[in-house]
Amino acid sequence: MQSILPYDCIVDILKFLRDDKKALYDCLFVNRTFCQLAIPLLWSRPFEKENMKKSYIIINTLMGCLKGREKQQLMEKFDKSIEIKPTLFDYASYIKGFDYQNFEYAIKKWTESYFNNLRQPFNIHIFIFQILGDLIFTRTRNFKMLNLSHDKYHDDDERSFEYNIFQKILTFNNIKKVLNNLEKLELRYFSWEHDIDGTFGDKISNFFIELSKCSNNIQDLIIDIFFDSTNTSKVSRSLARLIESQTNLYSLQVTEYIDYSFIHSIQSQANSLKFLRIIELSNFHSLLPILYHCVKLETLELTEYFEVEDLCDLYNSCKSLPPIHIENLLAYQIEMERNIQNFEDAMAILINLSKHKLESLTMEFVTYRTINFLKLTCPINLTYLSLKISTFGLIKLYEIFSLLKSLKTLIIIESGRYEDPLSPESTDKTNQLIQLAISIPISLKRLGISFLVDLSGYENFYQTFSVPIQELDIYISLDDDHLRKIISFAEKNRYLKRLGIMRFNHSRLDGHISNELYELAKSLIPIIGETKKIKHYVNR
């Protein structure tokens, strides 16, 4: 049946559905045109994690794409007992993204299933791995993404991955030619094993060097590796070489754990880099001069273990330092064993140097001292503010709201997991929340909250808060009593269009929220569901 929709419209519809695998699969049965357009989207990244339940089918289908000689070789390995069905499409040609470990996992599960746990022919797993890998990298027409990340959940034989991956990936036919067009490389690996002789470090280093020779158009580079080796400095130098060899790198995610010396290579991408995420930052003095030069950098993210050096010299002279040009600054899910002041100083320096452009700030370990600093040098153009804040930072937070005339989104997660050395000895929490509610700017459209108070504290906040927000996210589990307070707030604020509840489905299924009260809330608030994701950990 011919489609009544124009071809271009169908293309646009299916591109919109590219992340909805179920909808794309249903499109296969609409008509021939839908099928021909949906197949390349479904097969663009067949070995991503969500497809692994279908790994047996994927391997069978790729076997059907083999040429006559390759099929004959495969059948000989199985003593002609294997049935290889012809395929309607050249599925391998549509593959744009390759997830190495999941590919290995899929072949392993296929062989285990085929032989039903009986003894497998010698090296059959390696043979299938090589012949299908050669197929993919010989046939692919528009390869863009390579994922070499290591997930221990799917890897029973960790050492086979750990010691061979960086050599094996380069043995596939046509691989270096294909990698000429590589746009995204993702490598995440974590191991406590000690690389005593530096062999593993050598293999990673050599892989980075080979990649720097053939892949110079990587636009999105993710390197998050942790391992104990005598060769980390060599790995760092080779990573620097890979970064410096790129011509148009706009997104970079790296960890400083291996050796911070590679950090200087980031400056080579100063005219293209828009996104920079650093895991386990340890050398702030080296990073800052690089940020001055990255004139196109829009987003800087800092996360995980944070143990930078003393920054008193930079903090005291930050008014005389050159500006940086970021619009979004994030420091989240931070782990610190000591010296919160160094973190406070680092954030104060970054905020001060970017305040002329900063529009979005996500920050943890927000203390009394941090709020005092923000009062003095607050980025007045902020539209998004998300804070995980100490109790005594919270009671002072209202003092900066008069400066934020353009604020659209405010997230406040109160945390009691760290001490605030400048905190007052006591406070009236309820009155402070009322003061906070009164002070929130009228420009706000979305509010997300999690306070360390009982229900009466939330009730006083809702009764006092009068800004006509459109979205409310509550980052705690709710029950009927709390939902009644929100319903009262919604009756007062008819602008509220969405309510986000943490663990929404869990609360409903376990009866914390009754159907009767939920239906009443739905009559006032059109959309009720799960809270929007934020960067902060929320445990309540």
Side-chain angles (χ1 to χ4, degrees):
M1 183 182 76
Q2 188 173 1
S3 174
I4 60 174
L5 287 172
Y7 183 86
D8 290 344
C9 288
I10 300 174
V11 171
D12 289 339
I13 290 170
L14 295 185
K15 282 182 179 179
F16 182 79
L17 295 173
R18 69 169 61 247
D19 295 324
D20 189 339
K21 296 294 192 293
K22 184 179 184 304
L24 282 176
Y25 182 79
D26 291 340
C27 289
L28 297 177
F29 307 100
V30 175
N31 57 36
R32 184 178 180 84
T33 301
F34 270 78
C35 181
Q36 289 175 330
L37 291 173
I39 285 291
L41 295 174
L42 282 168
W43 275 85
S44 63
R45 190 178 171 184
F47 297 105
E48 58 186 329
K49 192 171 183 178
E50 64 186 70
N51 291 335
M52 285 302 92
K53 290 181 180 179
K54 305 174 185 175
S55 60
Y56 190 94
I57 298 173
I58 293 170
I59 297 301
N60 267 346
T61 304
L62 285 175
M63 286 179 174
C65 295
L66 293 168
K67 292 181 179 179
R69 184 177 63 85
E70 295 159 336
K71 285 183 181 179
Q72 185 64 33
Q73 287 179 326
L74 189 61
M75 292 181 70
E76 289 174 359
K77 286 285 183 182
F78 285 85
D79 296 327
K80 298 187 178 181
S81 63
I82 186 174
E83 180 183 5
I84 303 177
K85 296 180 180 180
T87 59
L88 295 174
F89 297 90
D90 185 10
Y91 295 99
S93 69
Y94 302 128
I95 296 177
K96 297 181 179 181
F98 184 73
D99 299 82
Y100 181 98
Q101 190 186 11
N102 290 342
F103 177 61
E104 276 201 331
Y105 171 81
I107 292 172
K108 182 177 181 180
K109 291 302 178 184
W110 185 92
T111 53
E112 288 176 352
S113 176
Y114 185 86
F115 291 102
N116 196 24
N117 294 322
L118 298 175
R119 185 175 180 181
Q120 302 173 16
F122 179 68
N123 282 343
I124 191 65
H125 174 271
I126 296 174
F127 177 80
I128 297 173
F129 171 87
Q130 193 69 45
I131 200 170
L132 291 187
D134 288 344
L135 168 75
I136 291 168
F137 288 101
T138 301
R139 301 277 185 88
T140 178
R141 293 199 296 257
N142 196 21
F143 192 83
K144 300 294 183 185
M145 192 280 297
L146 178 61
N147 182 358
L148 300 180
S149 297
H150 176 42
D151 181 356
K152 290 183 179 179
Y153 179 76
H154 278 162
D155 193 11
D156 298 325
D157 186 9
E158 184 178 326
R159 293 184 66 84
S160 68
F161 174 91
E162 183 176 321
Y163 282 88
N164 295 323
I165 182 171
F166 301 104
Q167 292 176 320
K168 286 163 70 176
I169 188 66
L170 295 174
T171 65
F172 293 131
N173 287 345
N174 206 44
I175 183 68
K176 291 187 179 180
K177 184 178 179 181
V178 168
L179 291 180
N180 281 328
N181 299 317
L182 188 66
E183 293 182 358
K184 180 175 181 178
L185 172 65
E186 182 172 352
L187 170 56
R188 303 180 193 270
Y189 179 77
F190 180 91
S191 175
W192 285 109
E193 289 192 18
H194 183 51
D195 182 29
I196 300 174
D197 59 1
T199 304
F200 184 45
D202 276 341
K203 290 179 178 179
I204 296 180
S205 179
N206 292 337
F207 172 74
F208 285 157
I209 291 171
E210 287 300 313
L211 205 60
S212 68
K213 295 175 183 177
C214 60
S215 299
N216 307 123
N217 192 41
I218 298 176
Q219 298 170 30
D220 188 354
L221 181 59
I222 303 171
I223 306 292
D224 180 7
I225 52 180
F226 176 102
F227 66 99
D228 187 8
S229 175
T230 57
N231 253 346
T232 53
S233 60
K234 185 176 181 180
V235 173
S236 185
R237 290 195 300 273
S238 62
L239 174 57
R241 180 171 170 178
L242 176 61
I243 293 171
E244 290 167 355
S245 70
Q246 304 311 310
T247 59
N248 190 32
L249 189 66
Y250 70 78
S251 177
L252 176 62
Q253 302 182 53
V254 285
T255 176
E256 272 207 27
Y257 175 78
I258 52 171
D259 184 331
Y260 69 80
S261 61
F262 77 88
I263 205 86
H264 300 285
S265 65
I266 297 175
Q267 191 167 324
S268 67
Q269 305 300 318
N271 292 322
S272 61
L273 198 63
K274 294 183 178 180
F275 178 91
L276 176 61
R277 181 174 184 256
I278 299 181
I279 303 164
E280 301 192 11
L281 180 68
S282 60
N283 195 296
F284 193 86
H285 279 82
S286 293
L287 174 65
L288 197 57
I290 294 166
L291 298 179
Y292 303 151
H293 290 92
C294 292
V295 294
K296 293 188 177 179
L297 188 64
E298 296 174 356
T299 300
L300 174 64
E301 291 194 8
L302 307 173
T303 188
E304 295 187 22
Y305 192 73
F306 194 99
E307 191 64 36
V308 299
E309 68 278 29
D310 187 278
L311 301 177
C312 287
D313 60 327
L314 289 175
Y315 183 82
N316 293 330
S317 63
C318 67
K319 291 184 179 179
S320 62
L321 297 175
I324 57 178
H325 307 281
I326 57 175
E327 297 174 6
N328 311 293
L329 175 59
L330 301 92
Y332 58 93
Q333 295 177 15
I334 298 290
E335 297 177 17
M336 271 187 293
E337 290 183 358
R338 60 188 181 277
N339 210 334
I340 291 177
Q341 182 175 335
N342 285 1
F343 174 76
E344 292 173 331
D345 287 350
M347 296 303 294
I349 293 165
L350 292 172
I351 291 169
N352 184 66
L353 297 182
S354 62
K355 63 183 179 182
H356 61 295
K357 290 196 70 173
L358 202 62
E359 296 180 4
S360 171
L361 176 62
T362 297
M363 185 176 173
E364 296 193 356
F365 292 97
V366 180
T367 62
Y368 203 78
R369 180 171 179 254
T370 306
I371 300 302
N372 276 333
F373 173 82
L374 285 172
K375 275 182 65 179
L376 297 174
T377 179
C378 191
I380 60 174
N381 296 319
L382 278 183
T383 59
Y384 182 99
L385 181 61
S386 182
L387 305 176
K388 192 165 188 179
I389 188 167
S390 72
T391 297
F392 297 103
L394 177 66
I395 65 176
K396 196 173 178 63
L397 182 60
Y398 73 91
E399 296 181 11
I400 69 170
F401 285 148
S402 62
L403 304 171
L404 302 176
K405 305 295 185 183
S406 303
L407 196 64
K408 304 295 184 188
T409 297
L410 175 63
I411 309 295
I412 306 172
I413 306 298
E414 185 182 357
S415 174
R417 70 186 178 101
Y418 54 91
E419 296 294 328
D420 190 339
L422 298 182
S423 61
E425 292 183 2
S426 63
T427 183
D428 184 340
K429 186 70 170 290
T430 299
N431 286 337
Q432 294 294 346
L433 286 181
I434 290 173
Q435 180 66 54
L436 190 72
I438 294 171
S439 306
I440 291 175
I442 193 70
S443 59
L444 202 71
K445 301 300 180 186
R446 177 189 166 211
L447 175 67
I449 52 175
S450 174
F451 300 133
L452 298 177
V453 292
D454 58 19
L455 183 56
S456 63
Y458 279 100
E459 181 179 14
N460 287 322
F461 181 85
Y462 297 140
Q463 288 176 347
T464 309
F465 185 59
S466 60
V467 176
I469 57 171
Q470 298 174 7
E471 300 181 66
L472 176 63
D473 282 302
I474 310 298
Y475 290 96
I476 60 171
S477 297
L478 295 194
D479 55 19
D480 276 359
D481 290 338
H482 197 144
L483 186 55
R484 287 190 186 93
K485 308 306 178 187
I486 294 174
I487 289 171
S488 297
F489 172 74
E491 289 172 338
K492 179 181 67 172
N493 176 18
R494 292 292 181 165
Y495 291 91
L496 192 62
K497 304 299 181 186
R498 186 188 69 83
L499 171 64
I501 300 173
M502 194 172 180
R503 304 185 186 95
F504 170 67
N505 289 329
H506 175 80
S507 296
R508 290 206 65 201
L509 292 173
D510 284 4
H512 298 301
I513 298 176
S514 65
N515 286 332
E516 179 182 0
L517 209 60
Y518 171 72
E519 292 302 325
L520 176 58
K522 279 286 289 181
S523 69
L524 296 166
I525 310 169
I527 301 173
I528 301 179
E530 195 71 22
T531 49
K532 286 186 177 180
K533 290 184 179 180
I534 56 176
K535 293 289 188 178
H536 308 297
Y537 281 132
V538 183
N539 297 319
R540 295 184 294 281

